[in-house]
Amino acid sequence: MSARDPVRDRLAAVLERWSGRPTLFAAAVMNVITGLGLGATIAQEVFGADAGVYRRCALLLAEGRTDFCGMLYSPLTALVARPLTWVSPTTAMVAMTLIGAAILLAGVMLETRGRAPIDRVLVAVAALTFAPVVYELLLGQTTLLIAAALYPLARRPDGFRNGIPFGIALALAPKPLLFPILVWMLVWRRRALMGTVVATLTLTVVGIAVVGLDQYREWISVLTGAGRESVAGSFGLSLHGNFSIWPLNPATFLLACAVAAATLWTIVRDSSRGFVAALLAGLLLAPYSGLYAFS
């Protein structure tokens, strides 16, 4: 029988003492300071930037124009965003922010069921003031909508219908950072993967039928031919602050290969760790990952 290690036992006691509510409180306070500090600094510059793009693209689609409106999502997204054109630009921006916040709060309520009310409040504060989430909510981005679509895959057993929300997300916003999730699904959620594929293809066919093939041709042309600077310029944004390892050069190519290999190894070995690895790989290997993507 091995001797007890007093240093290790003392460390374990300290960690147990400060785990739980003290840790939640510390995380909430830290996020309030950093997240709200970031928000106060950038709010005037970025508030509603992406929501404005969705609204502008919806207006152009309603007018029957095929101009590149600054959005790399599918033309079907502009159709879905049509309600944003029924209100003022400011109202549309606020609406997108509130939708994101509502999704996040719903997720917190689901994940903290059975815990003490004070703990649930601390988790909600920590989540809402997490710096990438603050940036996401200010922009009016769609990342939290995509996170909601991923929730059934992560929290429910494999099933055809659990893949449908993710298929809808892919049909509307086929972001490169999502594709490692498909690899994870191929190993651990094959029935859900079928639901994803069917939903994506069905909505794409519906989108072509409703908005026309020309809109999709224009979209594909933008995806494959638009220069990165021109894409950024159409959003009125710069490319500073990229968190991915692109653009590739010999050094970053080797790093990308290492990330891909480690991700595949982790996915094959364990479902939960593989899911997290797929999310991280998407952030690192996407051609461009902004801070909000970490939400």
Side-chain angles (χ1 to χ4, degrees), residues 122-182:
L122 289 173
V123 172
V125 170
L128 282 169
T129 58
F130 181 47
V133 170
V134 172
Y135 191 23
E136 161 91 12
L137 295 177
L138 285 173
L139 287 172
Q141 247 283 346
T142 60
T143 312
L144 289 172
L145 288 164
I146 295 171
L150 288 173
Y151 189 86
L153 298 177
R155 286 306 197 200
R156 296 176 184 170
D158 189 16
F160 183 90
R161 66 180 182 178
N162 292 336
I164 293 176
F166 188 43
I168 297 172
L170 284 178
L172 296 174
K175 295 189 175 187
L177 63 85
L178 299 177
F179 290 105
I181 298 295
L182 296 175

